[in-house]
């Protein structure tokens, strides 16, 4: 136990170091020496407090939360290759955001987030309903079903956006990008921190639910309530992240699988590691996106998508064909 805690503290130190690097990467002239000495002019102080700090905090929150909901979703669906972007959840949240923008454009951001969460929950429930009708669910079939559902929902969103001249807006929603995150526009992400806490408190229930409905019922737990709680956490987290920063594909798939290879599937033990690795992974991808074509910036959704897709293929090819 002592070694595990020490390793966890080491991982936390690495993530904090990356967060420190993130504060000083960008176009504006801001150095560590200026911050430590306190000799900041008004422009530098505004850059640090209104842009760099909110951006770094939002990366930590979004990265850790999306990794956690990916793990929760994998346990509930009982498949290692399912997460919001491979189950239609993210696309459903985007569709909800598009619909509410068309019908009630003046709705406050919190209301739009609520509608996106309802659509995300409905999309995830539809995915589960389709899975129940499939007799042979191999490790490959389940994510393929989710991707086909995501394709259908995405096509519907694209059609609506095209008819209403909102293609660029839809693209900006579905492509993760932290460049527009500033003070006053990221605070909703603290909701996902609350969702992560709830997931940790219910970790044992999710672990048991991952063993199947019959086993869960025999242990005296209400399987449907546990499933509903898990899906609510997934839907709300996905909706908030899509509304604030956009989609982060494959994040919730790759990070839990990497942690699972090292620590197994006991949620309460692995959850802190999943959160740390998710935050660190997004931090690294964001820093790479900011420096690779400096002073321009590659959206984080593209960097995460490329790296995540490559790791997803590796994990898919290395796993035995009969594994679940």
């Amino acid at each position: 136990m002592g070694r595990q805690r020490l390793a966890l503290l080491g991982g936390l130190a690495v993530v904090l170091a990356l967060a420190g690097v993130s504060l000083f990467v960008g176009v504006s002239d801001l150095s560590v020496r200026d911050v430590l000495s306190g000799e900041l002019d008004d422009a530098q102080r505004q850059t640090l407090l209104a842009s760099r700090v909110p951006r770094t905090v939002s990366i930590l929150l979004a990265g850790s939360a999306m990794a956690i909901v990916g793990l929760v979703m994998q346990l509930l669906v009982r498949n290692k290759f399912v997460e919001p972007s491979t189950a239609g959840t993210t696309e459903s949240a985007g569709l909800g955001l598009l619909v509410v923008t068309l019908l009630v454009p003046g709705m406050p951001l919190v209301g739009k987030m609520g509608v996106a969460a309802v659509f995300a929950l409905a999309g995830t429930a539809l995915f589960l309903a389709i899975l129940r009708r499939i007799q042979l669910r191999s490790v490959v079939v389940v994510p393929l079903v989710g991707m086909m559902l995501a394709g259908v929902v995405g096509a519907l969103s694209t059609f609506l956006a095209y008819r209403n001249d909102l293609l660029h807006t839809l693209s900006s929603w579905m492509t993760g990008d932290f460049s527009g995150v500033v003070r006053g526009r990221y605070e909703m992400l603290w909701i996902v921190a609350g969702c992560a806490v709830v997931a940790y408190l219910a970790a044992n229930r999710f672990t048991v639910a991952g063993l199947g409905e019959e086993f869960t019922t025999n242990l005296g737990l209400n399987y449907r309530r546990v499933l509903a709680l898990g899906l609510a956490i997934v839907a709300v987290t996905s909706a908030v992240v899509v509304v604030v920063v956009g989609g982060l594909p494959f994040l919730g798939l790759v990070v839990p699988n990497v942690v699972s290879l090292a620590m197994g599937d006991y949620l309460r033990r692995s959850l802190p590691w999943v959160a740390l690795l998710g935050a660190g992974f997004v931090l690294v991808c964001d820093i790479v996106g900011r420096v690779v074509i400096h002073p321009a910036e590659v959206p984080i959704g593209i960097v995460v998508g490329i790296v995540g897709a490559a790791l997803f293929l590796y994990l898919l090819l290395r796993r035995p064909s009969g594994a679940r």
Side-chain angles (χ1 to χ4, degrees), residues 33-264:
R33 185 179 62 183
D34 292 335
V35 173
L36 293 179
S37 64
E39 299 176 356
L40 296 175
D41 57 33
D42 291 339
Q44 289 176 321
R45 187 175 295 105
Q46 185 73 3
T47 297
L48 178 64
L49 299 180
S51 177
R52 299 285 177 82
V53 170
R55 178 174 183 146
T56 301
V57 172
S58 66
I59 291 172
L60 294 173
L61 292 173
S64 58
M66 290 304 295
I68 288 172
V69 298
L71 178 58
V72 171
M73 202 168 187
Q74 289 166 19
L75 281 174
L76 296 179
V77 180
R78 302 173 68 187
N79 187 283
K80 289 291 185 181
F81 299 115
V82 172
E83 65 108 33
S85 68
T86 62
T89 304
T90 300
E91 287 74 14
S92 297
L95 176 60
L97 192 56
L98 178 62
V99 169
V100 74
T101 299
L102 291 173
L103 298 180
V104 194
M107 180 177 287
L109 193 59
V110 174
K112 292 182 178 180
M113 183 272 294
V115 174
V118 171
F119 271 73
L121 184 60
T124 309
L126 177 59
F127 170 66
L128 293 178
I130 295 173
L131 288 186
R132 293 193 188 98
R133 295 180 176 273
I134 298 177
Q135 296 299 322
L136 298 176
R137 295 190 296 172
S138 72
V139 69
V140 179
V141 169
V142 174
L144 284 179
V145 170
M147 288 180 178
M148 287 188 289
L149 177 61
V152 172
V153 176
L156 177 59
S157 299
T158 302
F159 173 75
L160 291 175
Y162 174 76
R163 291 293 299 271
N164 294 276
D165 197 24
L166 288 172
L167 278 177
H168 179 72
T169 302
L170 178 64
S171 176
S172 66
W173 289 338
M174 302 312 297
T175 303
D177 188 4
F178 289 98
S179 62
V181 174
V182 293
R183 185 172 56 196
R185 291 190 58 187
Y186 83 100
E187 284 80 4
M188 281 180 57
L189 280 174
W190 288 107
I191 296 174
V192 305
C195 291
V197 172
V198 174
Y200 182 78
L201 295 176
N204 291 337
R205 291 178 172 83
F206 292 143
T207 301
V208 173
L211 300 175
E213 182 174 0
E214 183 177 348
F215 187 86
T216 304
T217 303
N218 289 338
L219 289 180
L221 291 178
N222 189 314
Y223 177 79
R224 293 188 179 277
R225 287 183 181 178
V226 176
L227 181 64
L229 175 62
L231 294 183
I233 292 173
V234 171
V236 171
T237 300
S238 300
V240 172
V241 172
V242 167
V243 168
V244 178
V245 301
L248 299 174
F250 301 112
L251 173 61
L253 187 152
V254 171
V255 172
N257 272 279
V258 171
V259 174
S260 179
L261 289 174
M263 305 189 65

